[in-house]
Amino acid sequence: MMISERAKKVKPSATLSIDTKAKEMKAAGIDVISFAVGEPDFDTPDNIKAAAIKAINEGFTKYTPVGGIPELKNAIVGKLKQDNGLQYKPNEILVSVGAKHSLYNAAQALYSEGDEVIIPAPYWVSYPDQTLLNDAVPVIVQTREEEDFVVSPELLSKAITKKTKAIVLNYPSNPTGFTYDRKALEAIAEIAVRNNIYVISDEIYEKLLYDGLKHVSIASIDPEIKKRTIVINGFSKSYAMTGWRVGYAAGDAAIIKAMENIQSQSTSNPTSISQKAALEAITGPQDFIPAMLKEFDKRRRYLVAELNAIDGVSCKMPQGAFYAFANIRDYLGRKTATMLIKDSSDMALYLLEEAAVALVPGSAFGAEGYIRMSYATSMEKISEGLNRIKTALQKLT
Ligand SMILES: Cc1ncc(COP(=O)(O)O)c(C=O)c1O
């Protein structure tokens, strides 16, 4: 067989493939409204673009140190101290080609064959596949909508075995939008330390929290959990920089060094120009973020209210990120003239074909009976998309 056993274990990213299909339909002239995107619909701020253009003009276009330029590492150290109350040294930081790459490096550096990795569901699509790609075993823990989709100490304790190596946390969460407060993190930290488990803490949406909520990093709970945590963050979401591909990890120097060695043999440094842009993003004016957040907040309230007004659909108000995670269980088992809507994938397919609306089925996130709608799109599109969804749902019997 040509393809390796490892490669066969992995499926393509469901969110990216739905977005690709929607884009193909658009290219074929179909007026698709996409709620499938995982990126802000805002342009990268001008000061950040200018820093990149300056880097090009000044010839900053060569290899850089593998783990990132010292100025950027220092700026990340400053950011983690100021925003998160975390003290790291530059050798505890690794800059990578997006947070996804940081997560992958962490998985490569930490997991051995047969290690179990606890992943609370609904989860971001890449965690289980990245675990599989590194010969470890994803242990999916189903959280409950009634508990705002956060993993309780009881659920977590039950999932732990002698083989448990790590737990992957993502807060605010993609897809649910819910986050963990300090108390919930303290309980998880206590369990992780007691059982000597690592925490991969994906905090990429930290700056996208509504209603005055303040992000707490689990690493800031105490020095013991900090030692066992790899904080993952990046520039894609907060600064509308998805295409620039810069993310970073912070953690124990030995783990970071192992991640850097892996990076040195795979991608080398993240793009030199993007690193200069990222440096400007952290050190330059920050007023872009509250402005974007204000717009997202308006859309969040509108979308969630309208979803709840649809018969048989319910959606809890998300606390952060830019996704609404709606419960559509009432519609499963209903029919079109030609099709039975068995699950959320059928629903996503039906809405794409019938209403030209793209969204991601809950099954992609390990949670059946839901759909994820990104509101990183204009109010007009949200409104039109909702009308189309309502009409399509009414046709189901
Ligand atoms: C939870 C989560 N983590 C990580 C990433 C990856 O971000 P990046 O663009 O920095 O690779 C995403 C992007 O969708 C995400 O939603």
Side-chain angles (χ1 to χ4, degrees):
M1 264 290 142
M2 181 174 63
I3 304 299
S4 73
E5 290 307 313
R6 183 181 304 109
K8 279 191 231 156
K9 287 187 207 166
V10 172
K11 47 187 190 316
S13 160
T15 42
L16 290 184
S17 42
I18 287 165
D19 202 36
T20 305
K21 184 156 185 196
K23 281 182 180 140
E24 277 167 12
M25 284 171 70
K26 265 188 205 164
I30 301 167
D31 167 31
V32 177
I33 294 187
S34 182
F35 292 102
V37 288
E39 59 187 353
D41 55 322
F42 290 76
D43 198 7
T44 306
D46 284 343
N47 61 310
I48 298 174
K49 289 186 193 170
I53 292 164
K54 185 162 175 272
I56 295 174
N57 287 335
E58 288 177 353
F60 194 75
T61 54
K62 303 281 168 42
Y63 291 133
T64 76
V66 168
I69 52 175
E71 310 90 284
L72 180 56
K73 282 195 183 181
N74 286 333
I76 292 168
V77 166
K79 179 260 170 237
L80 289 165
K81 182 153 181 251
Q82 189 185 319
D83 290 355
N84 310 106
L86 289 166
Q87 298 269 8
Y88 287 103
K89 297 191 196 78
N91 68 345
E92 295 172 310
I93 307 292
L94 176 69
V95 187
S96 299
V97 187
K100 187 183 268 188
H101 186 214
S102 307
L103 286 159
Y104 194 75
N105 283 332
Q108 285 243 305
L110 272 186
Y111 308 159
S112 297
E113 192 173 352
D115 281 349
E116 292 178 358
V117 178
I118 298 176
I119 303 173
Y123 47 70
W124 181 52
V125 289
S126 292
Y127 304 140
D129 291 90
Q130 289 198 350
T131 305
L132 289 168
L133 270 173
N134 288 289
D135 302 326
V137 182
V139 175
I140 308 299
V141 173
Q142 284 296 335
T143 66
R144 286 152 40 91
E145 185 178 345
E146 299 76 52
E147 290 168 348
D148 293 346
F149 301 109
V150 293
V151 69
S152 63
E154 295 73 35
L155 279 177
L156 179 57
S157 298
K158 259 198 243 159
I160 293 173
T161 72
K162 286 201 173 65
K163 291 184 180 163
T164 307
K165 182 70 182 256
I167 170 168
V168 185
L169 290 182
N170 170 221
Y171 53 105
S173 152
N174 174 8
T176 71
F178 281 91
T179 197
Y180 288 81
D181 62 16
R182 176 175 287 278
K183 200 161 153 265
L185 291 172
E186 280 170 359
I188 294 173
E190 193 275 319
I191 295 170
V193 171
R194 182 156 37 85
N195 292 281
N196 202 17
I197 293 171
Y198 288 91
V199 177
I200 314 289
S201 183
D202 182 347
E203 305 177 26
I204 194 158
Y205 293 97
E206 82 172 315
K207 293 199 183 278
L208 305 183
L209 271 173
Y210 306 103
D211 304 322
L213 284 176
K214 172 105 183 71
H215 178 79
V216 179
S217 171
I218 192 166
S220 70
I221 301 284
D222 64 43
E224 284 303 308
I225 190 68
K226 181 170 176 262
K227 269 197 273 184
R228 292 171 176 81
T229 302
I230 302 174
V231 174
I232 305 286
N233 211 324
F235 298 84
S236 288
K237 317 291 173 169
S238 313
Y239 299 97
M241 289 177 69
T242 47
W244 298 77
R245 311 308 304 131
V246 196
Y248 58 90
D252 173 83
I255 300 173
I256 292 293
K257 182 71 196 150
M259 290 168 62
E260 184 175 341
N261 290 345
I262 290 160
Q263 181 161 306
S264 79
Q265 298 291 9
S266 50
T267 60
S268 300
N269 60 276
T271 309
S272 58
I273 301 150
S274 292
Q275 290 188 66
K276 285 286 189 182
L279 177 63
E280 172 62 20
I282 313 196
T283 54
Q286 300 294 304
D287 41 340
F288 169 78
I289 299 171
M292 178 170 70
L293 198 61
K294 197 167 161 210
E295 180 60 28
F296 281 157
D297 189 20
K298 207 165 71 187
R299 300 174 190 173
R300 169 183 76 125
R301 289 166 192 277
Y302 173 71
L303 174 60
V304 172
E306 291 294 314
L307 283 168
N308 281 312
I310 302 175
D311 215 24
V313 176
S314 66
C315 184
K316 289 189 122 179
M317 184 62 82
Q319 298 170 310
F322 40 70
Y323 310 102
F325 201 58
N327 186 324
I328 49 115
R329 232 168 252 151
D330 266 19
Y331 283 91
L332 302 185
R334 296 200 197 183
K335 287 186 200 131
T336 71
T338 55
M339 176 184 182
L340 168 69
I341 310 282
K342 294 183 301 302
D343 52 26
S344 56
S345 290
D346 288 349
M347 179 60 93
L349 193 64
Y350 170 65
L351 291 175
L352 190 57
E353 286 172 355
E354 171 67 29
V357 166
L359 42 75
V360 188
S363 53
F365 311 101
E368 194 44 83
Y370 296 89
I371 50 171
R372 189 200 73 174
M373 294 176 70
S374 160
Y375 46 89
T377 186
S378 70
M379 274 296 225
E380 296 71 42
K381 292 221 168 104
I382 294 173
S383 169
E384 166 65 14
L386 280 163
N387 285 337
R388 292 188 191 181
I389 291 172
K390 273 183 234 168
T391 310
L393 290 179
Q394 277 162 6
K395 290 186 187 161
L396 296 174
T397 52

